[in-house]
């Protein structure tokens, strides 16, 4: 073989081999993820705007097939009344499914309580829902891998895989999980994953006439929710648990638990 | 080793093999630690798609205005324009195909969700005109006097 042919063949072989090696290389999921624009769902609640109408609770229950009259709900609204003496009175009748229409505040076994208008220093509503934490306690305690976090941050429950042991319901510091009375599995807010993944809004945020609830992508600097979380004074619930909640509140008081 | 050691040991080994074989068939292929790792992401991947395919019930007010633009214009011109259609008219589902007609909630209780007067000084509730439901025409339905799309009595 002539030297020229040898070099030519060697060049062809090497280039051919390198192409086929490149084609055989397996795709690393992390590389694929980096190629996609990053997405991390987050939620913003403006408590100043909430008027306690409870349309969000009703919309959530209808949208997600939670029986209306069952005493469980994926989202609810709490009423806080703080008196001038510093007493905190709060209630959430039926999770505010029918809103707040009475001045009587339900104090469970001690009955209904009415605080005179002159006695009230502060009174406001706080909507609650799953915080879709960055380090969710409920997911860690699941013994069968039925509850999990997606790469875009939502915490979901696999209804086919859940054995209904209830560890996650006990593990959640925010009490957002419950036992679904019809499906007989653990259930919780999904951020309306079926709606937001298909370009929609969550049922609760859409039903809110006052814009008290908003969902957005925390990784997108132009997203109104991400902007508010970055530039405004927002708080989260029970920060001390280290769960890194991703539902942010504007106007959160220390009395709110 | 003697028989009394081997026999139970074989039973245990057999059980372990049976469990491992059963597991191979029972656990779906896409089950495992996904993007969020073993602690937070151990799950059946196809369940994410199952949740994405969950049927939506609510459309939105834009969907309504596709056909009922006369009504949505009337509504948007008034203060109640901030309220989404489906809050009172009910979730649209696949209307007009299924259901053909929506059930409208015209009840007094629906109006009172916002318009029952509560003293809430650190909430937007205080900015909404409120009535005491026991004194303000008790027993009557609100819609007997007010137009729900534009409730101002002066503009009627």
């Amino acid at each position: 073989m002539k030297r020229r042919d040898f070099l030519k063949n060697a060049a062809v072989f090497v280039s051919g081999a390198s192409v086929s090696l490149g084609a055989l290389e397996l795709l690393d999921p992390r590389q694929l993820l980096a190629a996609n624009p990053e997405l991390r769902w987050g939620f913003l609640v403006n408590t100043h705007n909430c008027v306690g109408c409870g349309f969000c609770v009703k919309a959530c229950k209808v949208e997600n097939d939670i029986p209306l009259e069952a005493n469980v709900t994926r989202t609810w609204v709490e009423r806080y009344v703080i008196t001038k003496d510093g007493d905190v009175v709060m209630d959430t009748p039926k999770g505010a499914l029918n809103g707040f229409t009475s001045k009587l505040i339900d104090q469970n076994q001690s009955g209904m309580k009415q605080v005179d208008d002159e006695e009230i220093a502060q009174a406001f509503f706080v909507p609650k829902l799953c915080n879709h934490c960055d380090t969710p306690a409920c997911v860690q305690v699941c013994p069968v891998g039925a509850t999990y976090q997606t790469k875009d941050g939502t915490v979901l429950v696999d209804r086919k895989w859940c054995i209904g042991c209830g560890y996650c319901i006990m593990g959640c510091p925010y009490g957002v999980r419950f036992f679904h009375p019809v499906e007989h599995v653990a259930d919780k807010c999904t951020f309306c994953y079926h709606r937001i993944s298909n370009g929609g809004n969550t049922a609760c945020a859409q039903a809110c006439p006052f814009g008290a609830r908003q969902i957005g992508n925390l990784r997108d600097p132009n997203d109104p929710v991400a902007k508010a979380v970055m530039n405004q004074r927002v708080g989260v619930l029970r920060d001390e648990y280290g769960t890194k909640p991703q539902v942010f509140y504007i106007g959160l008081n220390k009395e709110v638990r | 080793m003697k028989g009394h050691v081997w026999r139970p040991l074989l039973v245990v080994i057999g059980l372990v093999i049976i469990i491992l074989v059963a597991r191979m068939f029972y656990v779906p292929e896409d089950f495992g630690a996904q993007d969020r790792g073993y602690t937070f992401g151990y799950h059946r991947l196809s369940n994410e798609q199952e949740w994405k395919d969950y049927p939506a019930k609510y459309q939105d007010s834009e969907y309504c205005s596709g056909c009922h633009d006369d009504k949505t214009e009337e509504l948007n011109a008034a203060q109640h324009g901030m309220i989404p259609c489906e809050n009172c008219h009910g979730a649209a589902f696949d209307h007009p195909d299924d259901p053909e007609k929506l059930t409208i909630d015209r009840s007094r209780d629906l109006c009172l969700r916002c318009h029952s007067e509560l003293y809430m000084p650190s909430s937007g509730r205080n900015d909404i005109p409120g009535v005491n439901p026991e004194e303000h025409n008790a027993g009557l339905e609100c819609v007997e006097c007010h137009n729900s799309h534009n409730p101002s009595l002066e503009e009627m």
Side-chain angles (χ1 to χ4, degrees), chain B residues 9-23:
Chain B
L9 202 61
L10 281 174
V11 170
V12 170
I13 292 170
L15 273 174
V16 168
I17 290 171
I18 289 170
I19 290 170
L20 285 177
V21 169
R23 193 181 182 281

Side-chain angles (χ1 to χ4, degrees), chain A residues 48 50-51 53-55 59 63 65 97 100-101 123 125 134 145 148-149 157-158 161 194-195 198 206-207, chain B residues 31 36 39-40 42-44 47 51-52 54 56-59 84 87 113 116-117 119-120 122-125:
Chain A
H48 299 292
C50 182
V51 305
C53 64
F55 276 128
E63 177 69 31
D65 296 310
L97 172 65
F100 293 86
T101 52
F125 299 102
D134 245 355
Y148 60 92
Q149 189 163 43
V157 181
D158 186 340
W161 220 246
H194 56 297
R195 299 176 66 89
N198 299 316
Q206 187 176 294
Chain B
F31 197 94
R36 287 288 278 119
T39 314
F40 300 117
Y42 192 60
H43 70 287
R44 189 167 60 89
N47 184 243
W51 274 116
K52 282 181 190 175
Y54 198 79
K57 280 72 172 183
Y58 283 86
Q59 303 293 338
N87 280 17
R113 281 168 175 262
S116 166
E117 192 172 37
Y119 181 63
M120 305 293 285
S122 16
S123 154
R125 180 68 169 248

